[in-house]
Coordinates of all heavy atoms in Angstrom, one line a residue:
P225 N 9.5 55.0 40.6 CA 10.4 55.1 39.3 C 11.6 56.0 39.4 O 12.5 55.9 38.6 CB 9.4 55.5 38.3 CG 8.0 55.3 39.0 CD 8.2 55.4 40.4
D226 N 11.6 57.1 40.3 CA 12.7 58.0 40.4 C 14.0 57.3 40.9 O 15.0 58.0 40.7 CB 12.3 59.1 41.2 CG 11.1 60.0 40.6 OD1 11.1 59.8 39.4 OD2 10.6 60.7 41.4
L227 N 13.9 56.2 41.6 CA 15.0 55.6 42.3 C 15.9 54.8 41.3 O 15.4 54.1 40.5 CB 14.7 54.8 43.4 CG 14.2 55.3 44.7 CD1 13.8 54.2 45.7 CD2 15.2 56.2 45.3
D228 N 17.2 54.9 41.4 CA 18.1 54.0 40.7 C 18.4 52.9 41.7 O 18.9 53.1 42.8 CB 19.4 54.8 40.5 CG 20.5 53.9 39.9 OD1 20.4 53.5 38.7 OD2 21.5 53.5 40.6
V229 N 18.0 51.7 41.3 CA 17.9 50.5 42.2 C 18.9 49.5 41.7 O 18.8 49.1 40.5 CB 16.5 50.0 42.4 CG1 16.5 48.8 43.4 CG2 15.5 51.0 42.7
E230 N 19.8 49.0 42.5 CA 20.7 47.9 42.2 C 20.8 47.1 43.4 O 20.4 47.5 44.5 CB 22.0 48.5 41.8 CG 21.9 49.2 40.4 CD 23.3 49.8 40.1 OE1 24.3 49.4 40.7 OE2 23.4 50.6 39.1
W231 N 21.6 46.0 43.4 CA 21.9 45.2 44.5 C 23.3 45.6 45.0 O 24.1 46.1 44.4 CB 21.9 43.7 44.1 CG 23.0 43.2 43.2 CD1 22.9 43.3 41.8 CD2 24.3 42.7 43.7 NE1 24.1 42.8 41.4 CE2 24.9 42.4 42.3 CE3 24.9 42.4 44.8 CZ2 26.2 41.8 42.4 CZ3 26.1 41.8 44.8 CH2 26.7 41.6 43.6
Y232 N 23.5 45.1 46.3 CA 24.9 45.3 46.8 C 25.1 44.1 47.8 O 24.1 43.3 48.0 CB 25.1 46.7 47.5 CG 24.5 46.7 48.9 CD1 25.2 46.7 50.1 CD2 23.1 46.8 49.1 CE1 24.7 46.8 51.3 CE2 22.5 47.0 50.3 CZ 23.2 47.0 51.4 OH 22.7 47.1 52.7
D233 N 26.2 43.9 48.3 CA 26.6 42.6 49.1 C 26.1 42.7 50.6 O 26.3 41.7 51.3 CB 28.0 42.3 49.0 CG 29.1 43.4 49.5 OD1 28.4 44.4 50.0 OD2 30.1 43.2 49.4
G234 N 25.6 43.8 51.1 CA 25.1 43.9 52.4 C 26.0 44.7 53.3 O 25.6 45.0 54.4
L235 N 27.3 45.0 52.9 CA 28.1 46.0 53.7 C 28.4 47.2 52.9 O 28.5 47.2 51.7 CB 29.5 45.2 53.9 CG 29.5 43.8 54.7 CD1 30.9 43.1 54.7 CD2 28.9 44.1 56.1
F236 N 28.4 48.3 53.6 CA 28.7 49.5 53.0 C 29.4 50.5 53.9 O 29.3 50.4 55.1 CB 27.4 50.2 52.4 CG 26.5 50.7 53.3 CD1 26.5 52.0 53.8 CD2 25.5 49.8 53.8 CE1 25.5 52.4 54.7 CE2 24.5 50.3 54.7 CZ 24.6 51.6 55.2
D237 N 30.3 51.3 53.4 CA 30.9 52.5 54.2 C 30.8 53.7 53.5 O 30.0 53.9 52.5 CB 32.3 52.0 54.5 CG 33.1 51.8 53.2 OD1 32.6 52.3 52.2 OD2 34.2 51.2 53.2
E238 N 31.5 54.7 54.0 CA 31.3 56.1 53.5 C 31.8 56.1 52.0 O 31.3 56.9 51.2 CB 32.0 57.2 54.3 CG 33.5 56.9 54.4 CD 33.9 56.0 55.5 OE1 33.1 55.4 56.2 OE2 35.1 55.7 55.7
H239 N 32.7 55.3 51.6 CA 33.2 55.2 50.2 C 32.1 54.8 49.3 O 31.9 55.3 48.1 CB 34.5 54.4 50.1 CG 35.7 54.9 50.9 ND1 36.2 56.1 50.7 CD2 36.2 54.4 52.0 CE1 37.1 56.3 51.5 NE2 37.1 55.2 52.4
D240 N 31.4 53.8 49.7 CA 30.2 53.3 48.9 C 29.2 54.3 48.9 O 28.7 54.5 47.7 CB 29.6 52.0 49.6 CG 30.5 50.8 49.5 OD1 31.1 50.6 48.5 OD2 30.7 50.1 50.6
I241 N 28.9 55.0 50.0 CA 27.9 56.0 49.9 C 28.4 57.2 48.9 O 27.6 57.8 48.2 CB 27.6 56.5 51.2 CG1 26.8 55.5 52.0 CG2 26.8 57.9 51.2 CD1 26.6 55.8 53.5
A242 N 29.7 57.5 48.9 CA 30.2 58.5 48.0 C 29.9 58.1 46.6 O 29.6 59.0 45.7 CB 31.7 58.8 48.3
D243 N 30.1 56.8 46.2 CA 29.8 56.3 44.9 C 28.3 56.5 44.6 O 27.9 56.8 43.6 CB 30.3 54.9 44.8 CG 31.8 54.9 44.8 OD1 32.5 55.9 44.5 OD2 32.3 53.7 45.0
W244 N 27.5 56.1 45.6 CA 26.1 56.0 45.4 C 25.5 57.4 45.2 O 24.5 57.6 44.5 CB 25.3 55.2 46.5 CG 25.8 53.8 46.6 CD1 26.4 53.1 45.7 CD2 25.5 52.9 47.7 NE1 26.6 51.8 46.1 CE2 26.0 51.7 47.5 CE3 25.0 53.1 49.0 CZ2 26.1 50.6 48.2 CZ3 24.9 52.0 49.9 CH2 25.4 50.8 49.5
V245 N 26.1 58.4 45.9 CA 25.6 59.7 45.7 C 25.5 60.2 44.3 O 24.8 61.1 43.9 CB 26.4 60.7 46.7 CG1 26.3 62.2 46.3 CG2 26.1 60.4 48.1
L246 N 26.5 59.7 43.5 CA 26.5 60.1 42.1 C 25.3 59.6 41.3 O 25.0 60.2 40.2 CB 27.8 59.5 41.4 CG 29.1 59.8 42.0 CD1 30.2 59.0 41.4 CD2 29.4 61.3 41.9
K247 N 24.5 58.8 41.9 CA 23.3 58.3 41.2 C 22.0 58.7 42.1 O 21.0 57.9 42.0 CB 23.3 56.9 41.0 CG 24.5 56.5 40.0 CD 24.5 55.0 39.8 CE 25.7 54.6 38.9 NZ 25.7 53.2 38.5
T248 N 22.0 59.7 43.0 CA 20.9 59.9 43.8 C 19.7 60.4 43.0 O 19.8 61.0 42.0 CB 21.3 60.9 44.9 OG1 21.7 62.0 44.3 CG2 22.3 60.4 45.9
P249 N 18.5 60.2 43.5 CA 18.2 59.2 44.6 C 18.3 57.8 44.1 O 18.1 57.4 43.1 CB 16.7 59.6 44.9 CG 16.1 60.0 43.6 CD 17.2 60.7 42.9
C250 N 18.8 57.0 45.1 CA 19.1 55.6 44.7 C 18.8 54.7 45.9 O 18.8 55.1 47.0 CB 20.6 55.4 44.2 SG 21.8 55.5 45.6
A251 N 18.5 53.4 45.6 CA 18.4 52.4 46.6 C 19.3 51.2 46.2 O 19.5 50.8 45.1 CB 16.9 52.0 46.6
R252 N 19.9 50.6 47.2 CA 20.7 49.4 47.0 C 20.0 48.3 47.9 O 19.7 48.4 49.1 CB 22.1 49.6 47.5 CG 22.7 50.7 46.6 CD 22.9 50.3 45.2 NE 23.5 51.3 44.3 CZ 22.9 52.0 43.5 NH1 21.5 51.9 43.4 NH2 23.5 52.8 42.7
V253 N 19.8 47.1 47.3 CA 19.1 46.1 47.9 C 20.2 44.8 48.2 O 20.9 44.4 47.4 CB 18.1 45.5 47.0 CG1 17.4 44.3 47.7 CG2 17.0 46.6 46.7
A254 N 20.2 44.4 49.4 CA 20.9 43.3 49.8 C 20.1 42.1 50.5 O 19.1 42.5 51.1 CB 22.1 43.6 50.8
V255 N 20.3 41.0 50.1 CA 19.6 39.8 50.6 C 20.7 38.9 51.4 O 21.5 38.4 50.7 CB 18.8 39.0 49.7 CG1 18.3 37.8 50.2 CG2 17.7 39.9 49.0
M256 N 20.5 38.9 52.7 CA 21.5 38.1 53.5 C 20.8 36.9 54.1 O 19.7 37.1 54.7 CB 22.1 39.0 54.5 CG 23.1 40.1 53.8 SD 23.7 41.3 54.9 CE 22.1 42.3 55.1
N257 N 21.5 35.7 54.2 CA 20.9 34.7 54.7 C 21.3 34.5 56.2 O 22.4 34.8 56.6 CB 21.4 33.3 53.9 CG 20.6 32.1 54.2 OD1 19.5 32.3 54.7 ND2 21.1 31.0 53.8
V258 N 20.3 34.2 57.0 CA 20.5 33.9 58.4 C 20.1 32.4 58.6 O 19.8 31.7 57.6 CB 19.7 34.9 59.3 CG1 20.1 36.3 59.1 CG2 18.2 34.8 59.0
P259 N 20.4 32.0 59.8 CA 20.1 30.4 59.9 C 18.9 29.9 59.3 O 17.8 30.5 59.3 CB 20.1 30.2 61.5 CG 21.0 31.3 62.0 CD 20.6 32.5 61.0
T260 N 18.9 28.6 58.7 CA 17.8 28.0 58.1 C 17.3 26.9 59.0 O 18.1 26.5 60.0 CB 18.2 27.5 56.7 OG1 19.3 26.5 56.9 CG2 18.7 28.6 55.8
N261 N 16.2 26.3 58.6 CA 15.8 25.0 59.3 C 15.1 24.2 58.2 O 14.7 24.7 57.2 CB 14.8 25.3 60.5 CG 13.6 26.0 60.0 OD1 13.7 27.0 59.2 ND2 12.5 25.7 60.6
H262 N 15.0 22.9 58.5 CA 14.4 21.9 57.6 C 12.9 21.9 57.7 O 12.4 22.1 58.8 CB 14.9 20.5 57.9 CG 16.3 20.3 57.4 ND1 16.7 20.0 56.2 CD2 17.5 20.4 58.2 CE1 18.0 19.9 56.1 NE2 18.5 20.0 57.3
L263 N 12.3 21.7 56.6 CA 10.9 21.6 56.6 C 10.5 20.0 56.5 O 11.4 19.3 56.1 CB 10.2 22.3 55.5 CG 10.3 23.8 55.4 CD1 9.8 24.3 54.2 CD2 9.7 24.4 56.5
S264 N 9.4 19.6 56.8 CA 9.0 18.2 56.7 C 9.0 17.7 55.4 O 9.0 16.4 55.1 CB 7.6 18.0 57.4 OG 6.7 18.7 56.7
T265 N 9.0 18.5 54.3 CA 9.0 18.2 52.9 C 10.5 17.9 52.4 O 10.6 17.4 51.3 CB 8.4 19.4 52.1 OG1 9.3 20.5 52.2 CG2 7.0 19.6 52.4
G266 N 11.5 18.1 53.3 CA 12.8 18.0 52.8 C 13.5 19.2 52.4 O 14.7 19.3 52.1
E267 N 12.7 20.3 52.2 CA 13.2 21.6 51.7 C 13.8 22.3 52.8 O 13.7 22.0 54.0 CB 12.2 22.4 51.1 CG 11.4 21.8 49.8 CD 10.1 22.5 49.5 OE1 9.3 22.4 50.3 OE2 10.1 23.3 48.6
L268 N 14.6 23.4 52.5 CA 15.1 24.3 53.6 C 14.3 25.5 53.7 O 13.9 26.0 52.6 CB 16.5 24.6 53.3 CG 17.6 23.5 53.4 CD1 18.9 24.0 52.9 CD2 17.7 23.1 54.8
N269 N 14.0 26.0 54.7 CA 13.3 27.3 55.0 C 14.4 28.3 55.3 O 14.9 28.4 56.4 CB 12.3 27.2 56.1 CG 11.5 28.3 56.4 OD1 11.3 29.1 55.4 ND2 10.9 28.5 57.4
A270 N 14.8 29.1 54.3 CA 15.8 30.1 54.4 C 15.2 31.4 55.0 O 14.2 31.9 54.3 CB 16.4 30.3 53.1
H271 N 15.7 31.8 56.1 CA 15.2 33.1 56.7 C 16.1 34.2 56.2 O 17.3 34.2 56.5 CB 15.4 33.0 58.2 CG 14.8 31.9 58.8 ND1 13.3 31.8 59.0 CD2 15.2 30.7 59.4 CE1 13.0 30.7 59.6 NE2 14.1 30.0 59.8
L272 N 15.6 34.9 55.2 CA 16.3 35.9 54.5 C 16.2 37.3 55.1 O 15.0 37.7 55.5 CB 15.9 36.0 53.1 CG 16.1 34.7 52.2 CD1 15.6 34.9 50.9 CD2 17.5 34.3 52.2
R273 N 17.3 38.0 55.4 CA 17.3 39.3 55.9 C 17.5 40.2 54.7 O 18.6 40.1 54.1 CB 18.3 39.4 57.0 CG 18.3 40.8 57.6 CD 19.4 40.9 58.8 NE 19.8 42.2 58.9 CZ 21.1 42.5 58.8 NH1 22.0 41.6 58.5 NH2 21.5 43.8 58.9
V274 N 16.5 41.0 54.4 CA 16.5 41.9 53.3 C 16.8 43.3 53.8 O 16.1 43.8 54.8 CB 15.2 41.8 52.5 CG1 15.2 42.8 51.3 CG2 14.9 40.5 52.0
V275 N 17.8 44.0 53.2 CA 18.1 45.3 53.6 C 18.1 46.2 52.4 O 18.7 45.9 51.3 CB 19.6 45.4 54.3 CG1 19.8 46.8 54.7 CG2 19.6 44.5 55.5
V276 N 17.4 47.3 52.5 CA 17.3 48.3 51.3 C 17.9 49.6 51.9 O 17.3 50.2 52.9 CB 15.8 48.5 50.8 CG1 15.9 49.6 49.7 CG2 15.3 47.2 50.4
V277 N 19.0 50.1 51.3 CA 19.6 51.4 51.7 C 19.2 52.4 50.7 O 19.4 52.2 49.4 CB 21.1 51.2 51.8 CG1 21.8 52.6 52.2 CG2 21.6 50.1 52.8
I278 N 18.7 53.5 51.2 CA 18.2 54.6 50.3 C 19.1 55.8 50.6 O 19.4 56.2 51.7 CB 16.7 55.1 50.7 CG1 15.8 53.9 50.4 CG2 16.3 56.3 49.8 CD1 15.3 53.3 51.5
V279 N 19.7 56.4 49.5 CA 20.6 57.6 49.5 C 20.0 58.7 48.7 O 19.6 58.4 47.6 CB 22.0 57.2 49.1 CG1 23.0 58.4 49.2 CG2 22.5 56.0 49.9
D280 N 19.9 59.9 49.3 CA 19.5 61.0 48.6 C 20.3 62.2 49.1 O 21.1 62.1 50.1 CB 18.0 61.3 48.8 CG 17.4 62.2 47.6 OD1 18.1 62.6 46.9 OD2 16.2 62.3 47.7
E281 N 20.3 63.3 48.4 CA 21.1 64.5 48.8 C 20.2 65.7 48.6 O 19.2 65.7 48.0 CB 22.4 64.7 47.9 CG 22.1 64.8 46.4 CD 23.4 64.8 45.7 OE1 24.5 65.2 46.2 OE2 23.4 64.6 44.5
N282 N 20.7 66.8 49.3 CA 20.0 68.1 49.2 C 19.9 68.6 47.8 O 20.9 68.4 47.0 CB 20.6 69.1 50.1 CG 20.6 68.7 51.6 OD1 19.7 67.9 52.0 ND2 21.4 69.2 52.4
R283 N 18.9 69.2 47.4 CA 18.8 69.8 46.0 C 18.5 71.2 46.2 O 19.5 72.0 46.2 CB 17.6 69.0 45.3 CG 17.6 67.6 45.3 CD 18.1 67.1 44.0 NE 18.5 65.7 44.1 CZ 17.8 64.6 43.7 NH1 16.7 64.7 43.2 NH2 18.4 63.4 43.9
A284 N 17.2 71.6 46.2 CA 16.9 73.1 46.0 C 17.1 73.8 47.4 O 17.5 75.0 47.4 CB 15.5 73.2 45.5
V285 N 16.8 73.2 48.4 CA 16.8 73.8 49.7 C 17.7 73.0 50.7 O 17.7 71.8 50.5 CB 15.3 73.9 50.2 CG1 15.4 74.5 51.6 CG2 14.4 74.5 49.3
D286 N 18.4 73.7 51.6 CA 19.2 73.0 52.5 C 18.3 71.9 53.3 O 17.3 72.2 53.8 CB 19.8 74.1 53.6 CG 21.0 73.4 54.1 OD1 21.6 72.5 53.6 OD2 21.4 74.0 55.2
R287 N 18.8 70.7 53.3 CA 18.3 69.6 54.1 C 16.9 69.1 53.4 O 16.2 68.4 54.2 CB 18.0 69.9 55.6 CG 19.2 70.3 56.3 CD 19.1 70.4 57.8 NE 20.2 70.8 58.5 CZ 20.3 71.0 59.7 NH1 19.3 71.0 60.4 NH2 21.6 71.4 60.2
D288 N 16.6 69.3 52.2 CA 15.5 68.8 51.7 C 15.6 67.3 51.3 O 14.6 66.6 51.1 CB 15.0 69.6 50.4 CG 16.0 69.5 49.2 OD1 17.1 69.1 49.5 OD2 15.5 69.9 48.1
G289 N 16.8 66.9 51.2 CA 17.0 65.4 51.1 C 16.5 64.6 52.2 O 16.2 63.4 52.0
D290 N 16.5 65.2 53.4 CA 16.0 64.4 54.6 C 14.5 64.0 54.3 O 14.1 62.9 54.6 CB 16.2 65.2 55.7 CG 15.6 64.6 57.0 OD1 16.3 63.6 57.5 OD2 14.6 65.0 57.5

Side-chain angles (χ1 to χ4, degrees):
D226 295 340
L227 284 180
D228 175 70
V229 187
E230 294 179 11
W231 69 274
Y232 78 106
D233 62 2
L235 299 173
F236 67 93
D237 59 17
E238 62 274 1
H239 300 292
D240 293 316
I241 291 177
D243 292 339
W244 297 345
V245 165
L246 300 174
K247 297 180 179 182
T248 57
C250 69
R252 298 297 179 255
V253 179
V255 175
M256 296 170 283
N257 199 11
V258 295
T260 61
N261 60 320
H262 288 280
L263 298 175
S264 60
T265 60
E267 297 166 289
L268 289 174
N269 186 20
H271 306 286
L272 301 176
R273 186 172 148 240
V274 181
V275 179
V276 179
V277 178
I278 296 108
V279 180
D280 203 351
E281 62 183 337
N282 295 339
R283 305 255 161 106
V285 181
D286 199 26
R287 298 186 182 181
D288 66 342
D290 179 70

